[in-house]
Amino acid sequence: MAIVGGGIIGLACAFRAQQRGLSVCVLERGTAGGGATRAAAGVLAPDPETPGFTALAQRSAELWPAFAAELGDVGYTRCGSLVLAFGDAPIELDGERLDGAACRALEPGIAADCVGGLLLADDAQVDPRRVAAALAHRLGDAVRTSTDVVDVTPESVGLADGARIEADRVVLAAGAWSSRRLAKRLAVRPVKGQTLRLRGPLPATRIIRSEHVYVVPRASGETVIGATVEDAGYDETPTDSATELLLRQAVRAVPAVAELELVEAVASLRPATPDDGPLIGEWEGLLVACGHFRNGILLAPVTADAVVALLSGDAPPAEVAPFDPQRFD
Ligand SMILES: Cc1cc2nc3c(=O)[nH]c(=O)nc-3n(C[C@H](O)[C@H](O)[C@H](O)COP(=O)(O)OP(=O)(O)OC[C@H]3O[C@@H](n4cnc5c(N)ncnc54)[C@H](O)[C@@H]3O)c2cc1C
């Protein structure tokens, strides 16, 4: 089986497929985990959206602890989130409502004028870069990096060097690039996002979310700030203006962020779809696993289970049914 794309989705599918005894080859044009996976903050927050999406996200959130445990220390922790309010706008999420003083008692690094918040105890985080590295390590020679796929058919993939690889099944997991050259009619488009990595004393003990920004403190000493949402085609260049905006918004919500040193700004492309839900299933003879938009890290375990079930002739998890790639045809 050939899997096109070595982001978290392609790697997770390959890992589960290998565990089922299937022969897999991941074809990645750059480095494993180098696409949106590398930019992602790794917030695992199954926020309610459509009923179908919420069920899928919750199923995957439940799978994460065991999935992470299989991979070793990938920074998985159910640290919870505190969603801050600064005005009258209601926070449309279920959780424990706190007043401003209670928020500051929990997280002294947040802004003094925060008027209240919502504690989401089940939110978790993971380090997507460590997840990708752990998956790639376990897959070993099954991952071929620097291997650019230029076309796909249901039985083969063509490489930029002219070679052709035959496969019994082809899984398309090329993230936002899935529809660029490979499956042009697939309903996926790129939505640029930028995150920052900072180092220094952790500004909080849990994820802090506000209307415009989130701040993710990691036990490793890294704090991730995200994220912009930009319509910029396939442009993946980090910009000074986005860095300034994210820093300003993060310091506004969590002044303790001002003490940190900026070490990296990164931009990549979220794979978006018309209804923001992923594409998981059969499509024109290919098995498609893309379009995970803002939630591909969260949705990796359930996507991998679904893809391997489909490859093995088993029933995929019921929560995947609304995300048939043919729904936009
Ligand atoms: C700024 C930002 C923040 C985010 N934060 C979060 C978060 O906190 N939580 C969350 O759950 N999700 C988050 N996401 C979304 C998440 O990163 C994506 O949904 C997820 O990475 C999608 O995984 P993927 O494997 O489909 O795509 P990618 O991670 O983009 O991987 C696709 C891979 O395919 C490869 N590829 C593409 N074309 C070809 C080709 N022709 N030949 C060979 N290889 C190819 C690419 O090089 C890439 O490595 C964020 C995304 C961004 C951009």
Side-chain angles (χ1 to χ4, degrees):
M1 181 211 343
I3 298 183
V4 181
I8 194 165
I9 298 296
L11 294 170
C13 292
F15 177 59
R16 286 289 185 239
Q18 223 179 39
Q19 287 177 324
R20 285 288 289 262
L22 302 172
S23 166
V24 291
C25 176
V26 178
L27 304 162
E28 164 55 50
R29 68 173 174 193
T31 55
T37 302
R38 184 167 167 275
V43 175
L44 309 177
D47 292 346
E49 294 188 18
T50 62
F53 182 85
T54 304
L56 183 75
Q58 272 168 357
R59 170 81 184 246
S60 208
E62 285 160 16
L63 293 171
W64 252 109
F67 186 64
E70 285 182 70
L71 299 178
D73 182 4
V74 289
Y76 176 84
T77 160
R78 232 187 78 187
C79 56
S81 290
L82 183 62
V83 187
L84 306 183
F86 287 97
D88 298 335
I91 302 171
E92 310 274 353
L93 293 167
D94 288 332
E96 184 186 348
R97 298 207 176 255
L98 304 175
D99 64 19
C103 290
R104 278 183 291 283
L106 273 183
E107 295 292 354
I110 65 170
D113 60 342
C114 163
V115 296
L118 200 66
L119 192 59
L120 302 174
D122 289 338
D123 280 6
Q125 63 159 299
V126 72
D127 185 334
R129 296 177 178 186
R130 284 160 77 184
V131 174
L135 287 168
H137 178 71
R138 274 157 186 73
L139 287 161
D141 292 345
V143 182
R144 284 178 56 177
T145 54
S146 306
T147 304
D148 192 10
V149 174
V150 292
D151 76 86
V152 289
T153 75
E155 296 94 24
S156 69
V157 300
L159 306 183
D161 65 6
R164 193 138 211 111
I165 297 177
E166 308 295 327
D168 51 351
R169 290 305 316 261
V170 174
V171 179
L172 182 58
W177 299 270
S178 299
S179 57
R180 189 177 195 185
R181 280 182 312 203
L182 302 175
K184 287 184 182 158
R185 292 196 314 99
L186 198 63
V188 176
R189 71 186 165 85
V191 174
K192 185 178 178 181
Q194 305 195 41
T195 46
L196 307 177
R197 263 106 189 128
L198 299 93
R199 289 213 155 257
L202 294 182
T205 62
R206 50 177 66 68
I207 300 162
I208 307 291
R209 297 161 58 178
S210 75
E211 193 184 349
H212 301 295
V213 75
Y214 52 75
V215 175
V216 185
R218 299 207 204 284
S220 64
E222 179 179 79
T223 294
V224 181
I225 293 172
T228 63
V229 179
E230 302 165 62
D231 191 0
Y234 290 93
D235 173 51
E236 294 176 77
T237 321
T239 59
D240 290 345
S241 57
T243 297
E244 283 160 25
L245 179 70
L246 287 170
L247 281 176
R248 194 165 61 242
Q249 290 171 337
V251 171
R252 165 76 187 93
V254 188
V257 166
E259 309 303 318
L260 307 181
E261 181 195 358
L262 176 66
V263 292
E264 187 184 358
V266 51
S268 192
L269 305 176
R270 302 176 186 88
T273 63
D275 64 3
D276 295 347
L279 307 175
I280 305 169
E282 302 285 344
W283 187 83
E284 298 199 352
L286 304 170
L287 199 45
V288 165
C290 62
H292 292 76
F293 194 34
R294 297 163 170 267
N295 289 292
I297 310 302
L298 171 62
L299 298 176
V302 75
T303 303
D305 284 358
V307 166
V308 172
L310 291 166
L311 287 167
S312 311
D314 297 338
E319 293 84 352
V320 170
F323 302 101
D324 183 339
Q326 299 174 41
R327 69 188 183 279
F328 301 117
D329 286 358

